[in-house]
Amino acid sequence: MEYLKVIAFTHHHIDLKSLGKLVICDQSLDSRLKNIQTELPVSEIFYIGTCNRVEFVFLTKEKTDKEFITKFLTVLNMGLPPEFMERFLDNVTVYENEEAFNHLLRTSCSLESLVVGEKEILAQIRKAYENCRNAGFTGDYMRMIMDRVVKTAKEVYTHTNISKNPVSVVSLAYRKLKELNMCGNSRILIIGAGETNQNIAKYLNKHKYSNFSIFNRTFSKAQSLADELNGKAYDLSALENFTEGFDVIITCTGSTEAIITEALYAKLLNGDTGKKVIVDLAIPNDVIPAVIHNNLVHYIEVESLKEVARKNIQERYSELVHAEEIISNNITEFFTVLKQRRIELAMQEVPRKIKEIKNTALNGVFADEISQMDHASREVLERVMNYMEKKYISVPMIMAKEILVNES
C-alpha cells in the first residue's frame, strides 16, 4: 500500500471550466500515459476523467511533492499556460498510501461526487481502469485495488440508502428541463452519444419526447441511440450543414475544445429568433460563452447544478456515516488480502523449485535404482512423489498465510 498515490483535481477546489483544460481526449490518452511511464518511475497508472474531476491513480516510490507534480504535469504535455500550471499546482489534492485507497473507495461510492448517491461514478471509474488495463498501463496490484473498489461500492449501494431515489447530474439536468414545460414535439439535438447523453435521452423518451436528432463522431453509436429513440442519426460533421432547426440542444462530448461556436450556432438557428434551451454537461463545456451571452438561451450546465447537489449531500448525511463504516471495514480486510497476495508472489518460485528437485531425484540421483524397479513399483513411487510435491507446495503457503492472519 505504501506506493499507491492519487493526484486529484476536482470541483471541490477548481472551477469546472478550468478543470476542463486537464481533460485528456481518448485519442491522446495512451501517448500521454506512456510519456509518464517513460519519464517518471511509475509502474502502474490509470486516468479518471468525469464531469467534475480529473485524477491520476498510480504506483510510485517517489515522494509526490510539488516538484514531482510539476514534472508530472509537464510530462503530460497538456500545453498549459504558466498561469494555469500555477493554479493547478496550488489547488491539487494529493493522496498517498492508505489515504489514497480510502479516497478511491469514497469516490467509487459517490461520497466525493458533486451529487452524492449517483451510481454513474462507479461505472466511469471501472471503464477508466479497464481502458488503461487493456492498454497495458496497469498490472496485478491495481487489479487487486479495483476488485476491492468494486466490492466496496456494491456493498454501499446495497446496504445503505445513499442511492435511494438517486439524484445524478443527469437527473438534475432533466428536472431543470422539466421545469421549462417543453412541449412533447420539441426538436431536440443530441450531440454526443456517450453514457451521459444516453441517460438523459432515456429520461426524455420515457416522458414522451420524440423528436430527436443525434450527432456523434462515431456514426454507429449515433445510429444505435437513434434506433432506441426512433430518431435520426448523423455524423458529427453533418452538424455544420443541419438546417432543420431545433428547440433544445443537449451536448456532452469528450472534446477538449468547444464544439458549438458562434458561427455554428448561427447556422443551426437558420434565422430563428426564439429562445432556445442548451443543456451542456461536457467538461470542458461544448458551448463557447459568447453563444450564451449573445443569444436568447436558457443555459443548463454542471456548474449551475452545484447548489442542488449541496442540498442533496445534506439530505443523505445519515447514510454517509453507514457508508464510511463499510469503507473502513473493506480497507481492513484488504490489508489481509494484500499480505496474502504478497506471500503468493514471494513463493511463486516454490512450485518450480520443487519440480526441479523431484525431476533431479528421479532422473539423476536415483535413476539407476529406479530403473531396476518393476513397472508397478515405479508407478507407486511416482504417485508418492506427486503427492509429496503437492504437499510441499501447499503446506508452506498455508502456514505463511496463517502466520500473517494471526499477526494481523
Side-chain angles (χ1 to χ4, degrees):
M1 186 62 68
E2 64 269 23
Y3 301 145
L4 180 64
K5 311 291 174 71
V6 177
I7 294 176
F9 305 91
T10 75
H11 64 95
H12 293 297
H13 303 110
I14 302 172
D15 67 275
L16 297 180
K17 287 184 174 61
S18 298
L19 192 62
K21 294 188 178 296
L22 286 172
V23 173
I24 303 176
C25 64
D26 292 342
Q27 292 80 359
S28 66
L29 179 60
D30 282 10
S31 62
R32 295 189 193 281
L33 294 188
K34 282 178 183 174
N35 287 346
I36 293 293
Q37 288 193 322
T38 300
E39 300 293 329
L40 296 171
V42 171
S43 57
E44 300 184 37
I45 184 170
F46 73 95
Y47 158 85
I48 303 169
T50 73
C51 63
N52 52 41
R53 69 181 62 254
V54 168
E55 301 195 9
F56 299 89
V57 183
F58 57 97
L59 304 179
T60 184
K61 296 180 181 180
E62 296 293 301
K63 184 178 180 181
T64 42
D65 52 16
K66 186 173 183 179
E67 181 181 351
F68 179 91
I69 298 168
T70 301
K71 189 170 183 181
F72 191 99
L73 291 177
T74 303
V75 171
L76 274 178
N77 193 26
M78 299 293 290
L80 297 173
E83 64 271 21
F84 275 99
M85 177 70 88
E86 284 302 315
R87 185 182 305 175
F88 291 133
L89 288 173
D90 289 341
N91 292 282
V92 65
T93 306
V94 179
Y95 303 93
E96 298 186 338
N97 312 330
E98 184 176 339
E99 187 182 31
F101 189 38
N102 181 56
H103 167 74
L104 199 53
L105 292 176
R106 287 177 54 84
T107 301
S108 70
C109 299
S110 84
L111 272 61
E112 298 284 345
S113 293
L114 183 65
V115 180
V116 173
E118 63 169 333
K119 292 184 179 180
E120 287 92 338
I121 185 65
L122 175 59
Q124 291 167 335
I125 291 176
R126 289 181 74 171
K127 184 177 179 182
Y129 163 72
E130 287 166 3
N131 288 342
C132 291
R133 180 198 63 195
N134 294 339
F137 292 112
T138 67
D140 187 65
Y141 192 101
M142 210 65 84
R143 174 192 63 77
M144 294 185 66
I145 292 286
M146 284 306 301
D147 285 349
R148 183 61 53 163
V149 163
V150 172
K151 175 182 178 294
T152 304
K154 286 182 175 178
E155 287 180 7
V156 167
Y157 292 132
T158 300
H159 301 299
T160 76
N161 289 323
I162 200 167
S163 60
K164 186 178 181 181
N165 300 318
V167 184
S168 66
V169 170
V170 169
S171 61
L172 288 175
Y174 173 71
R175 288 183 183 187
K176 290 286 187 182
L177 273 174
K178 191 177 179 181
E179 290 170 6
L180 300 176
N181 295 317
M182 302 182 307
C183 61
N185 64 349
S186 296
R187 298 163 296 174
I188 302 174
L189 305 190
I190 296 179
I191 304 173
E195 184 178 358
T196 298
N197 276 357
Q198 289 174 31
N199 289 337
I200 199 166
K202 288 173 184 175
Y203 273 107
L204 292 166
N205 194 36
K206 181 180 178 181
H207 291 85
K208 309 306 180 185
Y209 292 95
S210 57
N211 192 346
F212 297 98
S213 299
I214 298 93
F215 298 81
N216 196 64
R217 280 196 176 86
T218 305
F219 178 77
S220 60
K221 289 185 178 180
Q223 186 64 63
S224 177
L225 184 55
D227 290 343
E228 286 186 40
L229 303 174
N230 196 27
K232 298 178 182 177
Y234 300 87
D235 189 272
L236 185 61
S237 59
L239 195 60
E240 182 83 16
N241 301 309
F242 186 77
T243 58
E244 296 181 26
F246 70 95
D247 300 298
V248 181
I249 291 176
I250 297 173
T251 183
C252 185
T253 72
S255 174
T256 54
E257 301 292 335
I259 288 178
I260 302 178
T261 62
E262 282 193 282
L264 176 58
Y265 191 72
K267 284 186 177 182
L268 291 172
L269 285 174
N270 198 24
D272 191 341
T273 57
K275 190 171 185 177
K276 305 299 179 183
V277 178
I278 297 178
V279 181
D280 186 353
L281 300 181
I283 298 294
N285 291 140
D286 282 337
V287 183
I288 65 168
V291 168
I292 312 306
H293 295 152
N294 300 330
N295 295 276
L296 288 172
V297 174
H298 190 106
Y299 188 51
I300 300 169
E301 60 167 340
V302 175
E303 189 76 34
S304 67
L305 302 175
K306 274 188 172 182
E307 182 56 37
V308 182
R310 275 191 284 271
K311 291 179 181 177
N312 173 261
I313 291 174
Q314 292 173 358
E315 291 171 2
R316 296 167 191 265
Y317 179 77
S318 61
E319 295 304 317
L320 297 184
V321 176
H322 190 187
E324 294 279 11
E325 290 175 359
I326 293 173
I327 289 171
S328 178
N329 290 338
N330 270 279
I331 290 175
T332 301
E333 288 177 12
F334 181 75
F335 283 136
T336 299
V337 173
L338 183 60
K339 287 178 179 179
Q340 290 177 348
R341 181 57 177 163
R342 283 176 173 167
I343 288 292
E344 290 172 1
L345 293 175
M347 299 184 71
Q348 62 185 358
E349 284 293 297
V350 171
R352 186 180 64 81
K353 291 290 185 183
I354 289 176
K355 285 182 184 295
E356 285 181 0
I357 293 170
K358 185 187 81 169
N359 290 333
T360 299
L362 293 174
N363 302 313
V365 179
F366 301 104
D368 290 341
E369 290 91 333
I370 292 172
S371 66
Q372 296 175 22
M373 297 171 66
D374 58 63
H375 179 71
S377 299
R378 284 200 299 271
E379 276 193 345
V380 172
L381 178 62
E382 186 72 25
R383 288 201 302 272
V384 170
M385 294 294 286
N386 288 338
Y387 174 82
M388 295 296 291
E389 178 187 348
K390 290 178 182 177
K391 291 299 179 182
Y392 279 131
I393 291 171
S394 63
V395 170
M397 198 85 73
I398 292 170
M399 290 177 67
K401 287 181 178 180
E402 286 177 349
I403 290 169
L404 280 175
V405 170
N406 291 333
E407 285 181 351
S408 299

